[in-house]
Amino acid sequence: MTVIDFFSRFAITLALTCLAIGASADSRVPQFATDDETNTMQVFNFASPSVVFVTNETLVRDRWTLRLHSVPKGSGSGFIWDEQGHVVTNFHVIEKARKITITLQDRSEWPAQLVGSAPEKDLAVLKINAPRKLLKPLVAGESAGLAVGRKVLAIGNPFGLDTTLTTGVVSALGREIEAAGNRTIRNVIQTDAAINPGNSGGPLLDSSGRLIGVNTAIYSPSGASVGIGFAIPVDTVKKIVPELIAHGRLVRPILGIESAPDQWASRYDFTGVAVLRTAPGMPAEKAGLRGVYRGSRGGWQLGDVIVGIDGQPVNNYDDLMNLLENRRPGDRVRVDYLRDGEAYQTSLVLAAP
């Protein structure tokens, strides 16, 4: 064997080994090349048929004739979730929409119905009655094992330009962004893949063509991408979307309290969630928690302040909701609370909403 033959065989063996290492374990995902440019083109060709264009319209009243008519309100991206026609997008893409239209890659347009939404997670599920042959769901990957520097690809419809590809890397992990209702979306993926207006709701993919996030926001004073984009991790999406399909909303267990506004914390100088009142027959009342009450002089007095669940701190309403999202109705939890400045604990069984 000549030296040239030896190195030729070595190069071929090395290339095949690299392909085997980078191959996806999911049989539905093709084996993509490791050459960066070729890989990018292959992933785009594989995933782009799953990406859709979402447009919504709202009703406005003509100031002169007082007639109602539909006008375009906005647009964004989404992707096919399953062969039943469910489409995932951002809540803010379809918020307050009266009419939603989904445009597939073949440019066919389909009216969409809202199946469910989670404004606090900026996710929504739509449904179209398109033929199954036109529906190509994305393969969901995992976001728990992501690392900074991992290659990512974003496909969407920025500025109304259909099926646009941008590439980059995972810039950071564990970020937090604000959602509707002053809620916080946690463990968000930060990427430098350009995410412009219209990319919202589109998929963030890894080099194996698997979904690892839903593009949701950019950080930019001008509204255009400056290299800081955010995506909701797919592990969160896989947990929420089935609930939205089944129930139309997130099924979060409850304590059975009405909480006071977070502004009370600064007014009364405390950290936690103040109980405004407890619902009759619900877990909080059964456990002896107390809301605001009239003191001996007739004035209203601060009731119990919840400061922890199962040893995890509760600093505000957002903390409480995020902790309850990880529980299910029927779970028993320990509630730490303050009453008249003294620390107490109680145990209760969470109820269904």
Side-chain angles (χ1 to χ4, degrees):
M1 179 185 297
T2 66
V3 174
I4 294 177
D5 288 337
F6 172 78
F7 282 106
S8 296
R9 291 186 181 183
F10 177 77
I12 293 172
T13 302
L14 180 61
L16 292 175
T17 302
C18 291
L19 283 175
I21 293 174
S24 169
D26 196 314
S27 61
R28 295 174 296 171
V29 180
Q31 305 303 304
F32 294 116
T34 55
D35 171 75
D36 189 59
E37 186 176 84
T38 303
N39 173 264
T40 298
M41 292 187 292
Q42 288 181 333
V43 172
F44 175 77
N45 291 330
F46 170 73
S48 59
S50 305
V51 183
V52 303
F53 187 33
V54 183
T55 55
N56 70 64
E57 297 179 359
T58 189
L59 291 176
V60 298
R61 188 181 299 275
D62 188 280
R63 61 182 300 184
W64 302 111
T65 66
L66 301 183
R67 292 180 179 177
L68 291 172
H69 57 94
S70 295
V71 297
K73 183 180 183 294
S75 62
S77 304
F79 56 89
I80 305 296
W81 179 258
D82 57 29
E83 293 183 343
Q84 285 68 52
H86 291 111
V87 174
V88 175
T89 187
N90 284 146
F91 171 76
H92 75 260
V93 170
I94 54 88
E95 185 178 9
K96 298 181 180 179
R98 294 288 183 175
K99 178 182 178 182
I100 305 172
T101 303
I102 299 294
T103 304
L104 301 179
Q105 192 185 47
D106 67 350
R107 298 191 180 278
S108 61
E109 297 184 351
W110 303 88
Q113 294 180 334
L114 178 63
V115 173
S117 63
E120 65 271 40
K121 299 298 181 182
D122 199 16
L123 289 173
V125 177
L126 311 172
K127 192 175 189 301
I128 58 175
N129 293 319
R132 182 163 294 189
K133 64 180 181 180
L134 298 180
L135 302 174
K136 182 183 178 183
L138 284 176
V139 177
E142 297 181 352
S143 52
L146 287 178
V148 173
R150 182 80 174 267
K151 175 184 174 180
V152 292
L153 305 91
I155 303 177
N157 303 278
F159 307 109
L161 303 173
D162 64 329
T163 323
T164 297
L165 170 72
T166 57
T167 63
V169 297
V170 174
S171 304
L173 297 167
R175 297 302 198 201
E176 295 184 357
I177 59 175
E178 186 174 335
N182 294 322
R183 293 296 311 281
T184 300
I185 306 176
R186 301 183 177 183
N187 297 319
V188 170
I189 302 167
Q190 180 184 323
T191 175
D192 67 349
I195 298 175
N196 289 292
N199 271 113
S200 293
L204 187 70
L205 308 166
D206 64 13
S207 56
S208 293
R210 295 171 299 188
L211 177 72
I212 57 171
V214 178
N215 300 318
T216 189
I218 57 173
Y219 176 77
S220 170
S222 65
S225 178
V226 292
I228 301 179
F230 300 102
I232 303 169
V234 71
D235 290 349
T236 299
V237 177
K238 289 190 294 185
K239 176 182 176 183
I240 291 175
V241 168
E243 287 195 14
L244 298 184
I245 293 175
H247 307 289
R249 58 186 175 86
L250 288 182
V251 180
R252 182 189 301 109
I254 60 173
L255 300 171
I257 66 168
E258 181 179 347
S259 60
D262 281 341
Q263 291 84 346
W264 280 35
S266 57
R267 181 188 303 176
Y268 294 102
D269 191 25
F270 67 84
T271 298
V273 173
V275 179
L276 189 61
R277 61 177 61 90
T278 59
M282 297 301 285
E285 184 193 53
K286 293 179 180 179
L289 290 178
R290 183 178 67 184
V292 297
Y293 64 97
R294 288 192 181 275
S296 57
R297 297 183 179 181
W300 290 103
Q301 301 293 315
L302 184 67
D304 295 339
V305 177
I306 298 174
V307 295
I309 298 289
D310 284 338
Q312 300 181 68
V314 172
N315 296 314
N316 49 44
Y317 179 78
D318 184 51
D319 285 346
L320 178 61
M321 291 297 100
N322 279 310
L323 288 174
L324 292 180
E325 283 172 2
N326 297 321
R327 274 74 174 179
R328 289 289 179 267
D331 287 352
R332 179 172 291 277
V333 298
R334 189 191 80 202
V335 179
D336 300 315
Y337 64 98
L338 301 177
R339 175 177 293 179
D340 299 328
E342 298 291 330
Y344 296 90
Q345 291 181 350
T346 188
S347 176
L348 54 82
V349 176
L350 298 173

